[in-house]
Amino acid sequence: MQQLSHPYLIGTKHLTKEDLELIFDTARQMEDIANNRKDGHHLLRGKIMASLFYEPSTRTRLSFEYSMKKLGGDVVTVSDGPCSSLSKGESIDDNAKITAMYSDIIVIRHPQIGSAKETAYATNKPVINAGDGGNQHPSQALLDVYTILKENKRLDNLHIAIVGDLKYGRTTHSIVFLMGLFENIRFTFISPTELHMPEKVTDFLENKGIPYTETDNYIEGIKGADVLYVTRLQKERFTDASEYEKLKDDFILNLDILKHAKPDITIMHPLPRVNEVDHEVDKLPNAAFFRQAANGVPVRMALLYLLLRNNETSLI
Ligand code: CP
């Protein structure tokens, strides 16, 4: 039986092409369960997922919890950060050890960079990083790449433009590391200089010889791109509120901007959106962001199944 290369999902750099093939093959099979064409309750019956969200979430939290329940598992949770003993000063390490006693897998979102890694190192239970501060959000990147494959029918030979808050936007870091696995990829990063892609990402691209350009010109940046990945400014991570106010209206996607893009450019957004995609864009057939969010279910079902299954449990 094929296994993932690591018994956790902390970031996207450690994933291999074989991991992606396994996750996406499994996700394709999970689509029948996600869409109620097949019953999957036997697959994770008796397993418990701890859902630890110390930052707000709608999509990630609900799709993980929904996925776990559709596969027959159950969920234990804290309703929000202040309800957990982390707010009394308990360390992430102790919190992880205790949570692992009451669950079979831990899904954690926490504002501190490295919190998911620390959780994984503290336990022998699988851990999924659902977002650690401005660092990474690997399950989002997996559903993003799954979406690109479904929309564009390929993962090689793509020009991907990423716009918005590239400094704090953890989804942008994770997707770049993941798309770095494929052939003939190039990136254009569109942002104000204050929100440039961090060096840990550009160094990765330079070391792998993957071409990228940086610009603050939206129209120039999207020319010739196959995929446009839009992100919101991460207001909650700005240390200076006036800087957010200064930049928040600078990069708004509308139909006029899109006149300069390929007509079939795949328009993506991890959501939630604030004002960075005009609602008139939603009606375009190539506006993929709601389909992208829906893909979170089969991809997260696949992750939970691959990290938790008993060896004797068959998907077929
Ligand atoms: N894309 C994403 O992480 O959304 P939530 O913050 O709603 O989970």
Side-chain angles (χ1 to χ4, degrees), residues 15-16 28 35 57 60 73 95 98 105 118 135 143 180 183 185 198 213 215 220 230 278 282:
L15 290 169
T16 63
R28 275 189 281 275
N35 294 306
S57 170
T60 312
N95 192 260
I98 300 301
I105 188 165
E118 199 175 328
N135 185 31
L143 76 89
E183 302 300 320
I185 299 297
T213 51
T215 178
E220 288 306 313
V230 186
D278 195 299
D282 298 14

Side-chain angles (χ1 to χ4, degrees), residues 14-237:
H14 67 262
L15 290 169
T16 63
K17 252 186 171 172
E18 291 70 33
D19 286 331
L20 252 66
E21 277 165 22
L22 179 59
I23 294 165
F24 291 173
D25 281 351
T26 310
R28 275 189 281 275
Q29 297 181 67
M30 291 294 181
E31 299 237 8
D32 278 341
I33 299 169
N35 294 306
N36 297 315
R37 293 188 292 266
K38 229 164 121 177
D39 179 54
H41 283 86
H42 60 293
L43 293 172
L44 293 181
R45 186 169 289 128
K47 300 287 187 187
I48 307 278
M49 180 184 94
S51 175
L52 306 183
F53 281 76
Y54 302 107
E55 280 190 332
S57 170
T58 298
R59 277 144 292 272
T60 312
R61 181 174 194 154
L62 292 187
S63 61
F64 264 119
E65 295 185 2
Y66 176 82
S67 297
M68 192 64 189
K69 291 182 179 198
K70 290 290 278 186
L71 297 178
D74 214 334
V75 177
V76 291
T77 187
V78 284
S79 56
D80 57 32
C83 290
S84 152
S85 285
L86 282 182
S87 66
K88 299 180 202 162
E90 186 171 47
S91 69
I92 290 173
D93 183 274
D94 283 359
N95 192 260
K97 286 189 171 78
I98 300 301
T99 306
M101 293 174 192
Y102 312 141
S103 59
D104 300 297
I105 188 165
I106 300 171
V107 177
I108 179 167
R109 171 171 291 186
H110 191 283
Q112 187 178 307
I113 290 175
S115 48
K117 192 175 184 177
E118 199 175 328
T119 301
Y121 285 180
T123 88
N124 58 0
K125 298 281 173 71
V127 172
I128 296 177
N129 179 5
D132 62 325
N135 185 31
Q136 285 219 44
H137 189 351
S139 68
Q140 177 70 45
L142 284 165
L143 76 89
D144 293 341
V145 174
Y146 187 71
T147 301
I148 293 173
L149 180 58
K150 282 176 81 169
E151 300 285 328
N152 292 64
K153 313 293 178 216
R154 67 184 193 280
L155 291 173
D156 296 315
N157 306 312
L158 285 169
H159 175 187
I160 301 174
I162 306 184
V163 61
D165 185 348
L166 312 184
K167 179 178 177 184
Y168 298 117
R170 55 196 175 197
T171 67
T172 70
H173 312 157
S174 293
I175 194 175
V176 170
F177 294 141
L178 209 48
M179 287 306 298
L181 288 170
F182 297 95
E183 302 300 320
N184 196 24
I185 299 297
R186 72 186 175 99
F187 293 98
T188 300
F189 299 139
I190 309 164
S191 72
T193 41
E194 294 89 333
L195 299 175
H196 263 182
M197 195 57 100
E199 273 182 15
K200 69 178 177 198
V201 180
T202 53
D203 285 351
F204 166 85
L205 293 173
E206 281 160 28
N207 288 337
K208 292 195 70 130
I210 298 170
Y212 70 93
T213 51
E214 295 180 294
T215 178
D216 61 2
N217 185 319
Y218 212 147
I219 288 173
E220 288 306 313
I222 61 171
K223 282 182 183 165
D226 303 296
V227 174
L228 174 62
Y229 190 94
V230 186
T231 60
R232 85 181 158 93
L233 267 53
Q234 308 277 303
K235 184 180 181 183
E236 64 276 27
R237 305 206 197 287

